[in-house]
């Protein structure tokens, strides 16, 4: 593997070389797995927006309904003059609900890995909130220590992390992120959306929609690899496969090769056997108590939790106490 990695050089730009290295590791290692962050180029972000509108995808409409019902107590807990930092901003739909009611926010920082989509969403947001300072940050939030936020002094920082994007992290990644977030947001807090353990049939439907949008979103990873890395995945020969793993309490999303195929990447060739899969995403589901315990272990004080009546989804206000106060 080290020898193969050392061959990676000139053909890729800095941006694609990180993707290239991760794809190389994915193809070289078994079982094959790659981070879901690579779904999100401009087309992937559009596909995600379509997923949010699907009848089977309860996540977005349930979270939006919880926001609409409880937005005032949420804003009261956040308090005045907060600098709001959204992780994984997407189309900024939910941020608008918050910005409509927050008292005198100092600024809004939107972090996302999907640069083109982020910049377009921030341009729209500036039009709607002309008095607000909106700062897009195209960055990978899985390395919070590298985010250009640590020295900002514009006000009390409040994190916003809706969409249950935290579910895409493994437990060690979620822990690492929450520990760093508690440090970054000291003296403020984090408003976070977390999907809950529920009837597996509902989960199965949500990740296997009838219109095939989630399947297209999943395959977009390979479309992107063919375009950006010069791979030759036979896209149509991959089946979207998403299932709920009850013991792990998570959805796993895979791309399964229906045929034997050889994939080339930067001069190397990798064989995929029929039935061999690439694990592209996990979506961890939590219980309310389980998530609050995790947040507490990471340095937060869980102060409030809001759920829908059917108990599908939860939102949490986690304070990050300032030890100096
Ligand atoms: C599940 S979507 C949620 C979008 C939006 N916050 C919502 O609630 O609908 C995840 C978002 O996080 C972004 N994202 C995924 N992985 C990321 C990473 N490692 N660093 C920064 N952004 C990431 C994606 O581009 C996408 O906009």
């Amino acid at each position: 593997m080290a020898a193969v990695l050392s061959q990676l050089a000139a053909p890729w730009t800095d941006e694609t070389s990180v993707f290239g290295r991760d794809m190389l590791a994915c193809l070289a290692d078994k079982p094959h797995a790659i981070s879901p962050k690579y779904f999100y180029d401009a087309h992937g972000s559009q596909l995600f927006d379509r997923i949010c509108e699907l009848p089977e995808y309860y996540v977005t409409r349930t979270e939006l309904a919880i926001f609409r019902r409880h937005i005032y107590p949420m804003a009261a807990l956040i308090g005045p003059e907060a600098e709001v930092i959204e992780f994984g901003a997407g189309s900024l739909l939910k941020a608008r609900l918050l910005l409509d009611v927050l008292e005198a926010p100092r600024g809004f920082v939107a972090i996302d890995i999907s640069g083109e989509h982020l910049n377009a969403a921030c341009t729209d947001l500036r039009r709607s909130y002309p008095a607000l300072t909106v700062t897009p940050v195209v960055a990978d939030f899985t390395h919070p220590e590298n985010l250009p936020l640590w020295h900002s002094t514009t006000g009390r920082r409040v994190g916003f992390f809706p969409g249950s994007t935290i579910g895409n992290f493994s437990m060690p990644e979620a822990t690492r992120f929450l520990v760093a977030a508690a440090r970054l947001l000291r003296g403020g807090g984090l408003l976070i959306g977390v999907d809950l353990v529920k009837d597996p049939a509902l989960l199965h439907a949500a990740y296997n929609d009838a219109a095939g949008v989630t399947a297209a979103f999943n395959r977009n990873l390979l479309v992107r690899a063919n375009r950006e890395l010069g791979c030759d995945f036979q896209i149509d020969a991959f089946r979207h496969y998403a299932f709920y793993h009850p013991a792990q309490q998570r959805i796993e999303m895979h791309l399964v090769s229906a045929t034997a195929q050889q994939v080339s990447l930067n001069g190397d060739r990798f064989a995929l056997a029929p039935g061999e899969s690439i694990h592209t995403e996990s979506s961890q589901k939590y219980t309310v108590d389980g998530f609050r315990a995790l947040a507490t272990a990471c340095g937060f004080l869980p102060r409030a939790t809001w759920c829908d009546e059917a108990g599908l989804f939860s939102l949490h206000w986690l304070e990050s106490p300032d030890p100096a106060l």
Side-chain angles (χ1 to χ4, degrees), residues 1-8 24 268:
M1 178 64 196
V4 181
L5 278 178
S6 68
Q7 292 165 20
L8 282 181
L24 192 59
D268 285 296

Side-chain angles (χ1 to χ4, degrees), residues 173-188:
E173 287 166 345
T175 302
R176 207 164 66 86
F177 176 84
L178 288 171
V179 166
R183 211 152 55 83
L184 178 72
L185 304 171
R186 210 161 271 163

Side-chain angles (χ1 to χ4, degrees), residues 67 70-86 94-108 155-162 185-192 303-304 306 315-320:
F67 272 123
H70 302 287
I71 197 75
Y72 288 103
M74 288 176 188
L77 284 165
I78 289 172
E81 301 188 355
E83 182 190 28
V84 181
I85 302 169
E86 180 163 359
K94 294 161 194 166
R96 286 169 180 267
L97 295 180
L98 203 56
L99 291 169
D100 282 346
V101 297
L102 279 186
E103 189 183 340
R106 283 278 183 93
F108 181 79
R156 212 167 49 90
R157 296 190 190 110
V158 165
F160 185 48
F161 199 21
L185 304 171
R186 210 161 271 163
L190 178 66
L191 182 62
I192 182 169
R303 287 294 192 202
W306 301 270
L315 275 151
H316 302 257
W317 170 243
L318 310 173
E319 273 177 19
S320 179

Side-chain angles (χ1 to χ4, degrees), residues 272-313:
L272 286 172
E276 204 166 344
S277 94
I278 301 174
H279 182 180
T280 51
E281 187 184 75
S282 291
S283 184
Q284 185 70 43
K285 308 304 168 191
Y286 289 89
T287 61
V288 165
D289 288 347
F291 184 74
R292 287 168 65 106
L294 173 66
T296 304
C298 294
F300 282 107
L301 283 179
R303 287 294 192 202
T305 299
W306 301 270
C307 295
D308 57 299
E309 275 167 15
L312 300 179
F313 198 88

Side-chain angles (χ1 to χ4, degrees), residues 37 40 48 86 88-90 94 112-114 139-142 162-163 165:
K37 66 187 175 192
Y40 296 97
F48 180 74
E86 180 163 359
K94 294 161 194 166
D112 207 290
I113 205 160
S114 187
D140 182 346
F141 57 48
T142 55
T165 308

